[in-house]
Amino acid sequence: MIRKGSARLSPRSLNQIHANLVVSGITSRGLQPVRDLLLSCIASFRGGMDHARKLFDGIPPPGPDLFMHNAMLRGYAHAGAPHAAFALYSRMESAGLMPDGFTFCYLLRACCAGSGMPACSGAGWQVHAVIVKLGFLEDAFVRNALINMHAKCGDLGVAGALLDEASEGDVVAWSAVIAGHAARGNLDVARQMFDRCRHKDIVCWNVMLGAYAKNGEMEKARELFDCAPEKDVVSWNTIITGYSTQGMLEQALEVFDEMRGAGWMPDDATVVSLLSCCANAGSLDAGRMIHSLHLEGRRISILTGNALVSMYAKCGDVSTAMEVFSRMKEKDVWTWNSIIGGLALHGQAEKSVQFFSKMLEEKIHPNGISFLCVLGACSHAGLVEDGQRYFSLMKERYRIEPNAKHYCCMVDMLGRAGLLDEAFAIVSSMRQPSAVVWRTLLGACRTHGDLALGKIAQERLLSIKGDTSGDYVLLSGIYSSYGEWTRVETVRRSMDKRGLRKVVGCAQIGHKTADLSTR
């Protein structure tokens, strides 16, 4: 059995231990030190399996045993790498190792990593066949893993048939099928099964509660929550996260108060959900309250630190975001993304670009969001050369395929600088330019009065999006800026003929926020 709670070590510590084992003979003290190191590698790299695979492949004959193969399968399953898991299983079969129940549980979990995809469902059926052939269907853990896989992959009929073969008191199997129906939006069926289940435990209650919360059915979620015979931190977090996701900050804070009043300590999931809701609602006061009451003076995790940086940055308190960022001992790419994006959002574009450069110096591997943040900063600061360099860096060094948002940033940046031909070249290089990209180019044409290119952009927009009044208004603005009143009239008549009207603009000058005076 794979042991839980393996220590997380730094990459440097793991390399030192690995080097000592190699020098002394990797199996000279038996396989147990290698097993322990392999588990630590899998636990320490947050889904990255490269280091563990190097250690695994370096084990001399007779090679890794069944325990080590299962450890790797578990790692690949948690990392969402089903193809690697099945390749390893094939190697295991070639080595003559007989699988056990844990092997199949991890393979079925790997299938769930691509749940809903036909390929993963097909792989799951192959595992199902092997389980039946080798007689593992009587193993309750394997059968429940099989029910869970079929439910997540949408084979709810098969999951239900397997549930009928399970004992009536197998609440794990019931919970898996309930969750499968809920994931497909069949909340009524899920609730009927929940009501039929005679031996509901707290996990089953939390599954149904989560189904309502994820689908935005917060009244039903709250009703079920209030009826639950017992609650744990997952129950509280589920209802708080549900309210937070729906932007219902006041209700989320009320439940948060109830949680504390009931003697429960909030964990990272609680705090991150609330901070995310505060960030989206722009409620700086609520975010500060959560920070001061539950995090001040404590060592915060990287997840909570990221949520704090993001909340302060989105709410406009960039100085506090910077302070939290500087105090964090451990940072990941999302920490850097939050501060880079926050600085860009609040008019400190040049500083945002500086932080992106520092991130690269720190050997943090940027992702698509990182480049989206820095390209937006370059656009607003007019740093055209830097933006073009980062766009090339993204594609060539980091092999990140630009999406429509990246292209929009580039077109906006070049359009703001008046480089409309370069912007048009960027749009033309796209496989299938979206309406948003063409509209961005059309807006730049209006700003700089490029009639010919504006007409092309509008024609492409009409072929993609159909009739949108804003596109006609932009083109009309281009003509009017040059005094082409006949063409303005032609555009207006085209709008009338299609029954289009300019959307009336409006502004929000205030919004209701949660009352924190009693908190």
Side-chain angles (χ1 to χ4, degrees):
M1 180 177 177
I2 304 300
R3 291 179 295 173
K4 293 183 179 180
S6 302
R8 281 189 175 178
L9 302 173
S10 68
R12 182 178 180 183
S13 298
L14 288 170
N15 285 329
Q16 288 175 341
I17 297 169
H18 191 178
N20 288 334
L21 281 175
V22 171
V23 169
S24 61
I26 198 162
T27 57
S28 62
R29 287 177 284 175
L31 286 176
Q32 192 56 47
V34 183
R35 290 174 182 146
D36 292 340
L37 179 59
L38 186 65
L39 290 176
S40 292
C41 286
I42 293 168
S44 298
F45 283 93
R46 291 194 180 88
M49 291 290 292
D50 291 344
H51 195 103
R53 187 59 190 249
K54 287 177 183 177
L55 173 62
F56 182 84
D57 289 339
I59 297 172
D65 59 12
L66 178 60
F67 179 93
M68 295 180 190
H69 278 85
N70 282 348
M72 291 295 292
L73 287 173
R74 178 175 181 260
Y76 282 129
H78 282 276
H83 298 297
F86 280 95
L88 185 68
Y89 176 70
S90 297
R91 170 175 163 171
M92 178 178 155
E93 285 186 312
S94 301
L97 288 172
M98 278 296 294
D100 62 7
F102 294 106
T103 309
F104 292 117
C105 286
Y106 299 142
L107 282 174
L108 290 168
R109 184 182 179 116
C111 292
C112 294
S115 56
M117 295 172 59
C120 290
S121 181
W125 273 107
Q126 291 178 27
V127 177
H128 189 162
V130 176
I131 287 170
V132 173
K133 180 180 178 181
L134 297 182
F136 280 95
L137 196 57
E138 299 304 314
D139 185 319
F141 292 102
V142 174
R143 186 182 60 248
N144 286 344
L146 196 57
I147 291 171
N148 184 58
M149 182 277 297
H150 281 300
K152 285 190 174 179
C153 290
D155 300 322
L156 294 169
V158 179
L162 288 168
L163 176 63
D164 292 339
E165 297 174 10
S167 67
E168 188 177 336
D170 195 340
V171 69
V172 175
W174 279 88
S175 297
V177 179
I178 291 168
H181 281 290
R184 294 296 180 279
N186 304 324
L187 290 183
D188 291 339
V189 177
R191 182 58 190 260
Q192 289 169 11
M193 293 199 67
F194 175 80
D195 292 336
R196 280 173 49 205
C197 181
R198 296 182 182 179
H199 303 278
K200 292 187 278 285
D201 64 1
I202 194 167
V203 174
C204 192
W205 280 86
N206 288 342
V207 166
M208 194 65 231
L209 180 63
Y212 281 135
K214 287 177 183 175
N215 285 274
E217 299 276 0
M218 292 311 300
E219 287 186 15
K220 292 180 180 178
R222 182 67 207 232
E223 181 183 344
L224 189 69
F225 178 80
D226 291 337
C227 293
E230 60 176 326
K231 301 177 181 70
D232 61 7
V233 71
V234 175
S235 315
W236 291 99
N237 286 348
T238 300
I239 196 78
I240 289 171
T241 302
Y243 280 129
S244 298
T245 303
Q246 296 299 314
M248 303 168 73
L249 178 59
E250 188 171 356
Q251 291 86 340
L253 290 171
E254 286 175 0
V255 178
F256 183 52
D257 283 346
E258 292 175 28
M259 179 183 184
R260 289 188 295 152
W264 288 94
M265 281 294 294
D267 62 6
D268 279 356
T270 320
V271 174
V272 168
S273 292
L274 286 169
L275 290 174
S276 298
C277 189
C278 293
N280 293 332
S283 183
L284 182 58
D285 289 341
R288 282 175 175 162
M289 180 273 293
I290 294 165
H291 187 185
S292 63
L293 283 180
H294 303 284
L295 298 174
E296 200 67 55
R298 288 172 48 190
R299 187 179 183 277
I300 61 175
S301 70
I302 192 168
L303 288 175
T304 306
N306 289 351
L308 275 173
V309 172
S310 178
M311 183 276 294
Y312 280 118
K314 287 182 178 179
C315 291
D317 191 351
V318 179
S319 60
T320 306
M322 295 276 290
E323 184 181 337
V324 174
F325 177 87
S326 63
R327 288 207 313 261
M328 289 178 66
K329 293 182 179 179
E330 187 182 5
K331 302 178 180 72
D332 63 10
V333 65
W334 299 107
T335 322
W336 288 91
N337 286 352
S338 295
I339 200 69
I340 292 166
L343 289 167
L345 182 65
H346 295 288
Q348 301 186 42
E350 292 186 3
K351 199 166 187 178
S352 173
V353 174
Q354 290 172 8
F355 267 81
F356 183 81
S357 298
K358 189 175 180 182
M359 180 180 78
L360 299 185
E361 292 171 6
E362 296 279 339
K363 307 298 182 185
I364 302 293
H365 197 290
N367 58 21
I369 303 296
S370 312
F371 282 103
L372 191 61
C373 292
V374 76
L375 289 174
C378 291
S379 176
H380 286 88
L383 303 174
V384 176
E385 291 184 4
D386 287 337
Q388 290 174 319
R389 179 164 54 85
Y390 289 135
F391 190 69
S392 298
L393 193 71
M394 175 177 67
K395 295 188 294 181
E396 295 169 9
R397 180 187 296 182
Y398 294 101
R399 304 296 180 189
I400 298 174
E401 187 67 27
N403 60 31
K405 292 182 179 179
H406 295 110
Y407 281 107
C408 271
C409 281
M410 289 298 294
V411 172
D412 182 58
M413 179 185 69
L414 294 167
R416 285 171 183 260
L419 302 172
L420 298 182
D421 289 338
E422 288 86 341
F424 182 62
I426 288 283
V427 177
S428 300
S429 69
M430 296 176 67
R431 290 195 188 100
Q432 193 172 1
S434 66
V436 177
V437 175
W438 282 113
R439 191 168 292 116
T440 303
L441 180 61
L442 181 58
C445 291
R446 178 185 179 181
T447 301
H448 296 283
D450 192 321
L451 297 175
L453 191 54
K455 183 65 175 175
I456 293 172
Q458 198 231 11
E459 288 173 353
R460 299 292 175 85
L461 269 171
L462 292 178
S463 67
I464 296 171
K465 191 71 175 177
D467 291 343
T468 303
S469 63
D471 302 334
Y472 285 92
V473 172
L474 282 173
L475 185 62
S476 174
I478 297 173
Y479 288 141
S480 64
S481 63
Y482 274 80
E484 298 278 352
W485 303 112
T486 303
R487 292 186 174 182
V488 171
E489 183 63 25
T490 302
V491 171
R492 296 293 182 180
R493 285 177 180 171
S494 297
M495 290 179 66
D496 292 338
K497 188 182 294 185
R498 290 169 172 79
L500 300 176
R501 293 291 181 268
K502 181 179 177 180
V503 178
V504 178
C506 59
Q508 182 177 352
I509 59 174
H511 63 278
K512 183 179 179 180
T513 57
D515 182 7
L516 300 170
S517 58
T518 59
R519 293 187 166 84

